[in-house]
Amino acid sequence: MQVNLETPWNIGPVEIPGRIVLAPMAGVSVQAFRRQGRRYGAGLVCSEMVSCAGLRHRNERTLGYLRIGSDESPLAVQIFGSEPDTMAEAARMVEDAGADIVDINFGCPVGKVTKTGAGATLLEDPDQAARIVAAVVEAVDAPVTVKMRRGLANGSRAALELGPRLVHAGAAALTLHPRSAKQMYTGTADHSLTAELVELVDVPVIASGDVTSRERALAVLEQTGAAAVMVGRAAQGDPWTVGEIAGLVEGPPTREEVVAELLLFMHDTIEEMGEERATGFLKKFYGWYLGRGRFPKPFKAELVQLATIAEVEERLFAAAPGVRDVLARLRAETPELEHRTLDLPVSIYAGG
Ligand SMILES: Cc1cc2nc3c(=O)[nH]c(=O)nc-3n(C[C@H](O)[C@H](O)[C@H](O)COP(=O)(O)O)c2cc1C
């Protein structure tokens, strides 16, 4: 069956304009990343995972994740936790903040999260996982979705047992990243499992893992029968890959386009979290944008050493002299959001 990546689909009542979902990634999926992903054709964007305990305690940094721009919709905000009540309360806050979808993380393999009984741990505690989903579904009007890994141990098929139970508890869609928690990001995503899950449930399934091109996206959709593909690492510093998958972009970006997108991303990130935090947060993005053979290695190494954003910008303008025109065009296409400086956290890496 030939699948069309542009066909709209639904998660509950929420219409999603295309079949590409931008992955939730801790320390990456900030508002600037999500807005950029939408511009390059993602039909649905997701926040990184947000701690429900942090929301309960009105932790200022955690609350910062609930800033949502009007041009992000449809947007899923992902929460993690281990207790139904706390998760339900967090879901209400997420809905009040304007999220279209509440997503639950049952995939995070990082010890700091799993040792609290949250994230991937819940893959092997199906009763508690179902209680959490039921409590969250009861608490909000927005559709509730769940993102899973395949299980804890290599070869585990826990997600196939759990998935139907979660749908029974009210989940309106499921995302599967078919690696085990133990695997972290090694090996490959086994999408034969995704295909099995699709057969078992009557809600949309999103296939996550190793989608890096349009060709691959179409192959995964065809192999699995999933409703959509999720793109994660391939989108880091590379909106053009999202654009290529969406059929909006052909060929690699010019140096000017790379620098212009990076400068815009830097600007939006500073707006979002303030210059002090953004200075450290942005460093990994320099490598992502300027790598992939786009600029010589010493250049990105030099940028990471610089103490201020102003110095980084100066070097970037010098490295791509024609960038001002491209940047002006991008700015004209991307309306400014209201000013929104907030002290946001750079949370733990690798949430699912
Ligand atoms: C840096 C990083 C952070 C991540 N954070 C989250 C997260 O907060 N929540 C989540 O459900 N998955 C998280 N993931 C997993 C991704 O959403 C995705 O499932 C995984 O990277 C596989 O897709 P990919 O091969 O397209 O990267 C993260 C992955 C990475 C690389």
Side-chain angles (χ1 to χ4, degrees):
M1 184 186 63
Q2 180 67 36
V3 196
N4 187 338
L5 284 165
E6 288 77 46
T7 313
W9 55 294
N10 274 70
I11 294 181
V14 177
E15 185 174 290
I16 319 283
R19 304 284 168 152
I20 303 169
V21 181
L22 198 63
M25 287 187 284
V28 179
S29 300
V30 290
Q31 194 174 44
F33 183 77
R34 306 191 302 253
R35 293 176 73 209
Q36 182 188 61
R38 299 255 350 159
R39 278 194 288 120
Y40 279 83
L44 174 66
V45 295
C46 305
S47 79
E48 66 180 82
M49 56 181 200
V50 181
S51 159
C52 71
L55 290 179
R56 166 166 277 186
H57 294 116
R58 305 293 188 270
N59 180 307
E60 197 180 327
R61 290 183 174 190
T62 314
L63 289 172
Y65 289 121
L66 300 191
R67 291 223 151 178
I68 294 171
S70 53
D71 55 352
E72 293 189 62
S73 186
L75 165 78
V77 169
Q78 188 185 70
I79 53 175
F80 72 96
S82 58
E83 294 302 328
D85 288 352
T86 326
M87 289 288 272
E89 187 186 332
R92 276 190 290 270
M93 292 174 74
V94 161
E95 184 177 50
D96 288 346
D100 302 290
I101 293 168
V102 178
D103 188 49
I104 298 178
N105 181 315
F106 288 166
C108 181
V110 174
K112 191 173 153 184
V113 169
T114 52
K115 74 169 192 263
T116 67
T121 308
L122 287 154
L123 294 170
E124 305 211 353
D125 190 351
D127 292 341
Q128 184 70 349
R131 275 195 291 271
I132 288 174
V133 171
V136 171
V137 168
E138 172 72 25
V140 293
D141 292 330
V144 175
T145 58
V146 180
K147 184 160 177 287
M148 305 180 285
R149 281 199 177 225
R150 66 181 295 161
L152 290 179
N154 291 347
S156 168
R157 294 167 59 82
L160 298 182
E161 294 203 6
L162 186 60
R165 285 200 61 182
L166 301 183
V167 172
H168 186 69
L174 300 173
T175 302
L176 181 62
H177 174 203
R179 282 186 171 87
S180 69
K182 182 152 187 279
Q183 254 183 299
M184 296 296 282
Y185 294 92
T186 61
T188 50
D190 178 2
H191 282 299
S192 66
L193 227 70
T194 316
E196 287 191 62
L197 182 65
V198 169
E199 287 299 317
L200 291 172
V201 296
D202 57 3
V203 298
V205 172
I206 302 165
S208 172
D210 305 342
V211 175
T212 52
S213 66
R214 185 172 175 89
E215 191 186 356
R216 184 82 195 117
L218 290 169
V220 168
L221 286 184
E222 193 171 336
Q223 178 198 352
T224 60
V229 286
M230 183 173 269
V231 183
R233 289 165 296 169
Q236 293 172 340
D238 204 357
W240 302 278
T241 287
V242 179
E244 190 269 336
I245 297 172
L248 301 176
V249 168
E250 268 178 46
T254 63
R255 284 165 79 107
E256 280 72 24
E257 284 168 336
V258 170
V259 170
E261 279 295 350
L262 175 55
L263 286 166
L264 190 66
F265 187 84
M266 291 165 65
H267 172 267
D268 279 4
T269 305
I270 293 164
E271 286 275 292
E272 191 175 342
M273 61 178 76
E275 183 155 349
E276 199 183 324
R277 294 200 70 84
T279 304
F281 175 84
L282 284 167
K283 286 185 193 281
K284 61 181 179 282
F285 286 88
Y286 301 150
W288 287 336
Y289 275 89
L290 305 174
R292 304 173 203 256
R294 291 172 183 156
F295 284 82
K297 278 206 173 110
F299 181 53
K300 60 177 187 187
E302 183 195 336
L303 292 193
V304 173
Q305 300 299 322
L306 297 173
T308 66
I309 299 264
E311 290 169 282
V312 175
E313 284 176 346
E314 194 185 315
R315 298 291 201 289
L316 287 171
F317 277 114
V323 69
R324 284 182 200 277
D325 290 347
V326 185
L327 192 58
R329 180 171 51 75
L330 273 182
R331 283 200 198 287
E333 286 168 7
T334 316
E336 292 271 329
L337 283 183
E338 301 132 51
H339 194 65
R340 50 186 197 286
T341 300
L342 205 74
D343 194 25
L344 282 177
V346 178
S347 71
I348 53 158
Y349 202 69

